[in-house]
Amino acid sequence: MTDQWDAGRLDSDLEGVGFDTLAVRAGQNRTPEAEHSEALFLTSSYVFRTAADAAARFAGETPGNVYSRYTNPTVRAFEERLAAMEGAEQAVGTSTGMAAILAVVMSLCSAGDHVLVSQSVFGSTISLFEKYFKRFGVQVDYVPLVDLGGWEQAIKANTKLLIVESPSNPLAELVDISALAEIAHARGAMLVVDNCFSTPALQQPLKLGADIVFHSATKFIDGQGRCMGGVVAGRAEQMKEVVGFLRTAGPTLSPFNAWIFTKGLETLKLRMRAHCESAQALAEWLERQDGIEKVHYAGLPSHPQHELAKRQMSGFGAVVSFEVKGGKEGAWRFIDATRVVSITTNLGDSKTTIAHPATTSHGRLTPQERAAAGIRDSLIRVAVGLEDVADLQADLARGLAAL
């Protein structure tokens, strides 16, 4: 938006408002059309009043749109709303969640820098570090997520980033974010948290001391399995570097997808509350069933970090993982016997999904890497949607009967 249009009272005064109001109204700057809903700007480029105006925009001397690879009003509305909800100075949208991780490391690290990564991050994240970042001289080591002493021991003089996923996929392990942030900052490193599973509706890592958060917006931020996208949020100083990477390399968020995500944020808290309630009921039910060896869900008192989850989260999330008798064969029989839930690896959808992590999302890892991450052949992951929980229990009962 340039300084040649002043919306005045058409825009909402959001000073001092709460989370729910930010989720509905933050980031919107109305155009002269005075639209109530957020506008969708499907344009690749922008026109300028004069050659001098174009030169000033490209040089960053005057505010305004330049090219939709890195400046688009619809994308900016999503970025500003997500930043407000996470308590960040700035957010930057990306084409996917993996592109968000790529943007963080490429913009903040150089050859010779050291990065510490949790052993329990998403399988593609490990592949990104092992197959690509290492090739360009970034040093990488892996630490058990919950082991604060291990993190402290593993930090080196050249450690730049600590990257964690909390809760983790798919075992719902957690790390004490405040304590880990203190460890990182004491040694001059930054803490980066994948907040995809919790979303800002359940957890705000920046307020706990983290420096950067990122999301696969494809998941709960969308909420209906429609679009691909990601987002990085943190201090403006670091986000300026991320924007620079985006401007040059181009892993850009589509304006249409950004519009979908912006509308998704309006109902995020309501949806997450419903997801959490059903996931809790399903986890408690599974824990009582024969054929189930172990249930992984932070909302259960049996979870080793249940008390930590209660302290740093306002809900326990939608993902329930469990181990069944019979190894991989038993897990596959269980999955194949279901008739309501969807066999797919996506999550964060209104439709419940079921997957076998060892042969799908974590299938590209070596057996040793899967073992280190706790991904056993008997493990099944259910991302709980918005269906009637009694119907989900009845469907999973079909799986139990097949064991």
Side-chain angles (χ1 to χ4, degrees):
M1 185 70 66
T2 70
D3 57 6
Q4 299 187 40
W5 157 248
D6 180 8
R9 178 59 185 87
L10 292 179
D11 287 343
S12 300
D13 180 357
L14 300 180
E15 184 176 357
V17 303
F19 182 91
D20 292 348
T21 304
L22 293 173
V24 173
R25 293 187 176 271
Q28 183 171 12
N29 295 292
R30 290 188 171 87
T31 75
E33 300 295 338
E35 68 282 349
H36 189 223
S37 182
E38 293 77 9
L40 175 54
F41 288 88
L42 294 177
T43 182
S44 57
S45 63
Y46 306 87
V47 296
F48 309 99
R49 286 174 172 78
T50 64
D53 179 31
R57 295 266 197 96
F58 270 81
E61 294 169 356
T62 60
N65 300 306
V66 179
Y67 193 60
S68 279
R69 186 171 66 244
Y70 63 102
T71 53
N72 179 278
T74 306
V75 175
R76 185 164 57 250
F78 166 63
E79 293 170 338
E80 291 182 1
R81 185 169 296 181
L82 191 282
M85 294 168 70
E86 283 283 12
E89 291 179 1
Q90 186 178 349
V92 182
T94 60
S95 56
T96 65
M98 291 306 303
I101 304 171
L102 176 71
V104 169
V105 178
M106 292 295 288
S107 60
L108 300 180
C109 293
S110 303
D113 284 340
H114 179 237
V115 178
L116 286 176
V117 182
S118 154
Q119 286 179 343
S120 53
V121 294
F122 179 47
S124 291
T125 304
I126 294 176
S127 296
L128 183 62
F129 276 96
E130 289 297 307
K131 294 180 66 176
Y132 300 104
F133 287 141
K134 280 187 174 181
R135 186 189 303 175
F136 293 98
V138 175
Q139 301 170 21
V140 185
D141 286 308
Y142 300 92
V143 182
L145 177 63
V146 303
D147 183 7
L148 290 175
W151 286 101
E152 192 160 22
Q153 268 191 336
I155 295 179
K156 303 177 181 179
N158 61 334
T159 300
K160 193 72 174 284
L161 303 176
L162 279 62
I163 299 179
V164 302
E165 184 180 285
S166 180
S168 69
N169 176 19
L171 298 179
E173 292 183 316
L174 289 88
V175 70
D176 187 326
I177 293 173
S178 296
L180 188 57
E182 289 182 10
I183 291 170
H185 297 159
R187 302 286 291 275
M190 290 182 285
L191 176 60
V192 181
V193 178
D194 181 343
N195 201 31
C196 175
F197 272 36
S198 293
T199 80
L202 303 182
Q203 177 177 264
Q204 295 170 310
L206 299 179
K207 293 182 179 180
L208 295 171
D211 299 280
I212 295 170
V213 298
F214 65 86
H215 295 267
S216 171
T218 310
K219 310 301 192 296
F220 295 103
I221 288 175
D222 177 358
Q224 295 185 46
R226 297 164 293 191
C227 295
M228 303 287 286
V231 64
V232 184
R235 293 191 298 274
E237 178 185 359
Q238 279 78 44
M239 295 307 103
K240 180 181 178 181
E241 298 299 322
V242 176
V243 171
F245 174 75
L246 207 73
R247 178 175 184 166
T248 303
T252 305
L253 177 60
S254 153
F256 178 79
N257 291 7
W259 186 84
I260 292 290
F261 298 150
T262 303
K263 304 309 289 182
L265 288 174
E266 295 180 1
T267 60
L268 180 63
K269 190 172 181 179
L270 294 172
R271 289 186 285 105
M272 293 309 295
R273 185 181 302 148
H275 283 302
C276 290
E277 288 176 0
S278 292
Q280 183 74 37
L282 202 63
E284 292 174 358
W285 176 82
L286 283 165
E287 208 169 35
R288 298 192 299 268
Q289 305 307 307
D290 293 334
I292 303 295
E293 295 183 330
K294 188 174 184 179
V295 180
H296 303 270
Y297 186 68
L300 296 173
S302 59
H303 190 283
Q305 295 152 311
H306 177 63
E307 293 302 318
L308 172 62
K310 288 199 296 185
R311 289 200 308 272
Q312 70 182 22
M313 300 170 67
S314 61
F316 302 113
V319 177
V320 180
S321 294
F322 52 95
E323 297 173 35
V324 298
K325 295 177 180 177
K328 186 182 86 170
E329 292 74 18
W332 280 19
R333 286 198 303 273
F334 186 109
I335 292 168
D336 290 347
T338 60
R339 290 294 178 269
V340 174
V341 301
S342 306
I343 304 176
T344 182
T345 57
N346 193 38
L347 55 94
D349 201 314
S350 56
K351 301 177 179 68
T352 297
T353 67
I354 190 168
H356 184 244
T359 53
T360 57
S361 59
H362 293 70
R364 288 189 295 165
L365 302 184
T366 66
Q368 294 77 18
E369 288 170 336
R370 285 198 297 274
I375 309 299
R376 300 178 62 185
D377 286 347
S378 58
L379 185 70
I380 294 172
R381 188 193 73 189
V382 171
V384 182
L386 301 178
E387 303 95 339
D388 189 310
V389 71
D391 294 330
L392 298 178
Q393 290 173 352
D395 199 34
L396 296 189
R398 295 186 178 102
L400 287 166
L403 292 177

